Amino acid sequence: MDYQELTLELHRTMNEMHRGRQHKEMDGFVRGEAFALQFLMENSGSMPSDLSNAMGTTTARVAATLNSLDKKGLISRRIDSDDRRRIIVELTEEGKAFARERQGMMMAQTEKMLRSLGEEDAQSYIRILKKIVGATKANQNN
Protein backbone atom coordinates (compact mmCIF):
# COMPACT_ATOMS: atom_id res chain seq x y z
CA MET A 1 0.00 0.00 0.00
CA ASP A 2 1.32 3.43 -0.96
CA TYR A 3 0.70 5.55 2.15
CA GLN A 4 2.21 8.64 0.51
CA GLU A 5 -0.38 8.49 -2.27
CA LEU A 6 -3.14 7.89 0.29
CA THR A 7 -1.89 10.87 2.28
CA LEU A 8 -2.06 13.11 -0.80
CA GLU A 9 -5.56 11.87 -1.60
CA LEU A 10 -6.70 12.49 1.97
CA HIS A 11 -5.31 16.05 1.92
CA ARG A 12 -6.95 16.81 -1.43
CA THR A 13 -10.27 15.46 -0.21
CA MET A 14 -10.08 17.36 3.09
CA ASN A 15 -9.22 20.59 1.26
CA GLU A 16 -12.24 20.11 -0.97
CA MET A 17 -14.40 19.40 2.06
CA HIS A 18 -13.16 22.53 3.85
CA ARG A 19 -14.27 24.69 0.93
CA GLY A 20 -17.87 23.53 1.33
CA ARG A 21 -20.53 25.70 3.02
CA GLN A 22 -21.86 22.95 5.26
CA HIS A 23 -18.38 22.19 6.57
CA LYS A 24 -17.86 25.85 7.41
CA GLU A 25 -21.07 25.81 9.43
CA MET A 26 -20.04 22.61 11.23
CA ASP A 27 -16.53 23.97 11.77
CA GLY A 28 -18.06 27.01 13.45
CA PHE A 29 -19.86 24.72 15.83
CA VAL A 30 -16.62 23.22 17.10
CA ARG A 31 -14.75 26.53 17.25
CA GLY A 32 -15.38 30.10 18.21
CA GLU A 33 -18.65 31.45 19.53
CA ALA A 34 -20.77 28.40 18.80
CA PHE A 35 -18.32 26.15 20.64
CA ALA A 36 -18.17 28.58 23.56
CA LEU A 37 -21.96 28.66 23.81
CA GLN A 38 -22.19 24.88 23.76
CA PHE A 39 -19.40 24.54 26.33
CA LEU A 40 -21.05 27.04 28.65
CA MET A 41 -24.39 25.29 28.26
CA GLU A 42 -22.79 22.05 29.44
CA ASN A 43 -20.46 23.67 32.00
CA SER A 44 -22.39 26.45 33.66
CA GLY A 45 -20.32 28.75 35.84
CA SER A 46 -17.03 28.13 34.05
CA MET A 47 -14.01 30.37 34.01
CA PRO A 48 -12.44 31.70 30.82
CA SER A 49 -9.41 29.45 31.42
CA ASP A 50 -11.73 26.39 31.38
CA LEU A 51 -13.02 27.49 28.00
CA SER A 52 -9.50 28.18 26.75
CA ASN A 53 -8.43 24.64 27.70
CA ALA A 54 -11.50 23.09 26.09
CA MET A 55 -11.02 25.06 22.86
CA GLY A 56 -7.29 24.51 22.78
CA THR A 57 -6.70 28.20 22.15
CA THR A 58 -5.23 31.23 23.85
CA THR A 59 -6.91 33.16 26.62
CA ALA A 60 -6.72 36.24 24.36
CA ARG A 61 -8.82 34.45 21.72
CA VAL A 62 -11.28 33.35 24.39
CA ALA A 63 -11.50 36.91 25.73
CA ALA A 64 -12.35 38.18 22.24
CA THR A 65 -15.00 35.46 21.85
CA LEU A 66 -16.51 36.24 25.25
CA ASN A 67 -16.52 39.99 24.53
CA SER A 68 -18.46 39.33 21.33
CA LEU A 69 -20.95 37.05 23.11
CA ASP A 70 -21.34 39.62 25.89
CA LYS A 71 -22.12 42.40 23.38
CA LYS A 72 -24.83 40.16 21.90
CA GLY A 73 -26.33 39.60 25.36
CA LEU A 74 -25.67 35.85 25.26
CA ILE A 75 -23.40 35.59 28.32
CA SER A 76 -22.86 37.30 31.64
CA ARG A 77 -19.65 37.55 33.63
CA ARG A 78 -19.32 38.02 37.35
CA ILE A 79 -16.57 37.92 39.94
CA ASP A 80 -16.55 34.78 42.06
CA SER A 81 -17.65 35.70 45.59
CA ASP A 82 -15.31 33.07 47.08
CA ASP A 83 -12.23 34.08 45.08
CA ARG A 84 -12.29 37.59 43.66
CA ARG A 85 -9.52 36.71 41.19
CA ARG A 86 -11.87 34.35 39.35
CA ILE A 87 -14.35 35.43 36.68
CA ILE A 88 -17.39 33.19 36.27
CA VAL A 89 -19.04 33.05 32.85
CA GLU A 90 -22.64 31.94 32.40
CA LEU A 91 -25.18 31.95 29.60
CA THR A 92 -28.06 34.38 29.80
CA GLU A 93 -31.55 33.04 29.10
CA GLU A 94 -31.19 34.40 25.56
CA GLY A 95 -27.82 32.64 25.30
CA LYS A 96 -29.33 29.33 26.42
CA ALA A 97 -32.12 29.61 23.85
CA PHE A 98 -29.66 30.53 21.10
CA ALA A 99 -27.33 27.65 22.03
CA ARG A 100 -30.21 25.16 21.99
CA GLU A 101 -31.33 26.45 18.59
CA ARG A 102 -27.79 26.19 17.13
CA GLN A 103 -27.37 22.72 18.58
CA GLY A 104 -30.64 21.60 17.02
CA MET A 105 -29.57 22.94 13.62
CA MET A 106 -26.19 21.20 13.80
CA MET A 107 -27.76 17.94 14.91
CA ALA A 108 -30.17 18.08 11.97
CA GLN A 109 -27.36 18.82 9.49
CA THR A 110 -25.21 16.04 10.91
CA GLU A 111 -28.08 13.57 10.84
CA LYS A 112 -28.78 14.49 7.21
CA MET A 113 -25.13 13.90 6.31
CA LEU A 114 -25.04 10.53 8.13
CA ARG A 115 -28.30 9.44 6.46
CA SER A 116 -26.81 10.28 3.07
CA LEU A 117 -23.94 7.88 3.81
CA GLY A 118 -26.27 5.04 4.66
CA GLU A 119 -26.26 3.00 7.86
CA GLU A 120 -23.15 0.91 7.23
CA ASP A 121 -20.97 3.78 5.98
CA ALA A 122 -22.21 6.11 8.73
CA GLN A 123 -21.22 3.56 11.38
CA SER A 124 -17.86 3.01 9.66
CA TYR A 125 -17.29 6.76 9.46
CA ILE A 126 -17.83 7.18 13.20
CA ARG A 127 -15.72 4.10 14.01
CA ILE A 128 -12.85 5.45 11.90
CA LEU A 129 -13.12 8.96 13.41
CA LYS A 130 -12.90 7.45 16.89
CA LYS A 131 -9.84 5.50 15.80
CA ILE A 132 -8.24 8.68 14.43
CA VAL A 133 -8.95 10.53 17.68
CA GLY A 134 -7.38 7.68 19.66
CA ALA A 135 -4.31 7.62 17.41
CA THR A 136 -3.97 11.39 17.62
CA LYS A 137 -4.09 11.29 21.43
CA ALA A 138 -1.55 8.47 21.50
CA ASN A 139 0.80 10.46 19.24
CA GLN A 140 0.46 13.55 21.44
CA ASN A 141 1.51 11.55 24.49
CA ASN A 142 4.68 10.27 22.77
Side-chain angles (χ1 to χ4, degrees):
M1 178 171 287
D2 186 349
Y3 282 100
Q4 272 192 324
E5 186 58 39
L6 282 174
T7 300
L8 285 171
E9 185 177 350
L10 174 64
H11 283 267
R12 283 186 209 114
T13 303
M14 291 183 78
N15 284 335
E16 188 175 326
M17 185 174 74
H18 283 282
R19 287 191 291 267
R21 185 184 133 255
Q22 188 172 18
H23 183 274
K24 288 177 183 166
E25 290 172 3
M26 290 183 81
D27 195 46
F29 197 67
V30 296
R31 299 179 201 258
E33 290 183 7
F35 180 91
L37 288 169
Q38 188 63 38
F39 179 84
L40 292 169
M41 190 143 161
E42 296 170 3
N43 302 279
S44 182
S46 293
M47 296 186 306
S49 59
D50 299 328
L51 185 54
S52 175
N53 291 334
M55 292 176 77
T57 190
T58 65
T59 53
R61 177 73 181 130
V62 168
T65 300
L66 293 176
N67 286 339
S68 176
L69 292 172
D70 195 16
K71 286 178 187 172
K72 295 174 183 175
L74 301 176
I75 65 160
S76 64
R77 292 183 262 201
R78 64 178 169 79
I79 296 173
D80 186 342
S81 58
D82 296 330
D83 184 347
R84 298 194 52 77
R85 296 170 296 175
R86 293 173 36 139
I87 304 293
I88 303 298
V89 182
E90 296 174 310
L91 293 178
T92 62
E93 289 305 314
E94 184 180 349
K96 290 175 187 176
F98 185 78
R100 281 191 294 272
E101 179 183 330
R102 287 283 301 179
Q103 183 181 34
M105 288 173 24
M106 290 311 303
M107 293 294 288
Q109 287 179 346
T110 303
E111 182 179 340
K112 182 179 177 182
M113 184 268 301
L114 290 172
R115 283 182 185 277
S116 74
L117 292 176
E119 185 176 344
E120 186 177 331
D121 284 347
Q123 289 174 344
S124 293
Y125 177 69
I126 292 168
R127 178 186 56 78
I128 291 167
L129 280 178
K130 286 180 177 180
K131 197 169 187 176
I132 291 169
V133 168
T136 302
K137 285 181 180 178
N139 287 336
Q140 288 174 350
N141 293 332
N142 292 334

